[in-house]
Amino acid sequence: MIAIHRLLALLLILAAGNHLTRFATVARAADADGKLRIICFGAHPDDAEYKAGGTAAKWAALGHHVKFVSVTNGDIGHWQIAGGPLAQRRTAEVKDAAKILGIETEVLDIHDGELLPTLENRRALTRLIREWKADVVIAHRPNDYHPDHRYTGILVQDAAFMVTVPFFCPDTPSLKDNPVFLYFSDGFQKPNPFSADVIVSIDDVLDKKIAAVHALPSQAYEGGASGSEEFMKPIPKDEAGRKAWAIQTHGGRYAAVANRFRDALVKWYGPERGKDVKYAEAFEVCEYGRRPTPEELKKLFPFFGE
Ligand SMILES: [Zn+2]
């Protein structure tokens, strides 16, 4: 009997050892490719696409690894339909957008409009950041019009130190280096307006970004939770007409970012290139992760050239 127990114990140790070796090999392979690893958390299946889709496409084109996470499943984000079918539709939409952008995507199965900054959700986001071995994490600022946006911002802030703490969620290896955490741009003024600490021209990937927007018809063309039959009336039904409409309306938002933060564009691109940028995405550095120098930001956002 004792011999059998010993044999079983030995087999268990061997199996665990094999598993650990495999895990370590996978981790090394991911580290070894020398590419950046970026994870963006939007509250709904469209937020990260709208706020960082162009920059994500630029990272992906250089071989860097980008993942978008929607923290809720978007299941009340439409004026006409809701529930499981809407969650499934929106998950399929962001999967299509991810293919266009060259990134990965995941939708967490949390009800839209019901996200709370709980310990369970803090753990979930901490594990996702660790599993992605993120160098860069981007999310909403915690002052935003939608409660899911606010709590996504809070949850990511809450993870910004905990990702490095080994005995918080000890089932998922902690990160040795704290990532750089940033925020998507927004127009809210209180308690403080958004600061464009980094700004990226998306002129060269506007087609791709508009194609990604085009892949989200429930939001882009049907208006999501704020839509209506009236809203949809002036929007073209054909592909080409819709894309032109998307360039006008959504493109207009990225042009507004470029114009609002023209000084930042000049700072990052120089006066000649900076004044010519038409469409941009901007990001603010969060105080709670690693604090990057301007040189490090240039390495994390390798788009500015010399
Ligand atoms: Zn949203």
Side-chain angles (χ1 to χ4, degrees):
M1 281 305 282
I2 292 168
I4 288 171
H5 278 143
R6 280 195 182 152
L7 187 63
L8 278 174
L10 184 65
L11 284 172
L12 278 172
I13 289 165
L14 284 173
N18 185 35
H19 177 75
L20 286 176
T21 311
R22 225 175 35 157
F23 180 82
T25 310
V26 169
R28 269 202 304 278
D31 295 343
D33 84 350
K35 296 297 183 182
L36 297 168
R37 305 189 62 83
I38 299 101
I39 189 163
C40 299
F41 292 93
H44 306 109
D46 67 345
D47 289 314
E49 288 76 8
Y50 287 165
K51 293 292 185 178
T55 308
K58 288 169 75 85
W59 269 315
L62 296 173
H64 302 299
H65 308 285
V66 185
K67 179 174 184 177
F68 283 180
V69 176
S70 174
V71 182
T72 76
N73 63 17
D75 61 355
I76 59 164
H78 201 278
W79 57 280
Q80 204 173 29
I81 51 170
L86 179 60
Q88 286 177 334
R89 183 181 177 200
R90 297 189 67 184
T91 300
E93 287 180 345
V94 290
K95 279 187 181 167
D96 287 345
K99 273 190 211 127
I100 293 162
L101 300 172
I103 65 166
E104 291 194 26
T105 197
E106 182 173 350
V107 176
L108 304 189
D109 197 20
I110 295 173
H111 288 304
D112 188 343
E114 299 185 12
L115 181 66
L116 288 172
T118 60
L119 180 56
E120 183 195 9
N121 290 336
R122 186 193 302 169
R123 285 184 176 134
L125 268 61
T126 298
R127 288 188 178 107
L128 283 165
I129 295 167
R130 286 177 176 178
E131 283 161 359
W132 194 248
K133 298 183 173 62
D135 302 298
V136 173
V137 183
I138 312 181
H140 303 281
R141 294 202 302 160
N143 293 288
D144 200 313
Y145 81 103
H146 196 300
D148 294 342
H149 290 209
R150 290 199 287 276
Y151 294 138
T152 297
I154 293 285
L155 283 163
V156 172
Q157 282 188 352
D158 287 353
F161 172 62
M162 302 315 283
V163 292
T164 68
V165 175
F167 291 104
F168 183 71
C169 299
D171 56 2
T172 311
S174 61
L175 298 180
K176 270 197 220 61
D177 298 320
N178 206 359
V180 172
F181 287 73
L182 301 108
Y183 300 116
F184 302 129
S185 68
D186 63 60
F188 301 101
Q189 299 294 309
K190 293 174 184 176
N192 53 289
F194 174 84
S195 155
D197 297 327
V198 194
I199 190 160
V200 178
S201 164
I202 58 163
D203 290 358
D204 56 335
V205 287
L206 186 77
D207 287 355
K208 239 183 212 182
K209 180 158 186 185
I210 293 296
V213 168
H214 185 76
L216 313 171
S218 75
Q219 307 304 302
Y221 304 127
E222 296 165 30
S226 311
S228 63
E229 268 161 30
E230 279 303 298
F231 171 91
M232 289 177 63
K233 254 185 208 155
I235 298 172
K237 301 280 175 282
D238 63 297
E239 288 269 308
R242 284 191 158 192
K243 279 195 175 162
W245 184 87
I247 291 170
Q248 279 289 318
T249 53
H250 288 261
R253 294 180 199 172
Y254 321 136
V257 170
N259 289 330
R260 178 176 164 208
F261 302 114
R262 185 65 59 191
D263 291 352
L265 281 167
V266 167
K267 180 187 153 198
W268 284 96
Y269 287 92
E272 283 303 306
R273 288 172 68 200
K275 77 171 166 33
D276 289 338
V277 171
K278 198 165 172 204
Y279 305 103
E281 289 170 350
F283 306 94
E284 175 177 323
V285 176
C286 165
E287 292 180 298
Y288 307 141
R290 187 165 81 249
R291 302 298 299 274
T293 60
E295 287 66 38
E296 192 183 2
L297 277 179
K298 277 184 193 164
K299 284 189 186 134
L300 296 174
F301 290 81
F303 312 124
F304 304 109
E306 287 309 319

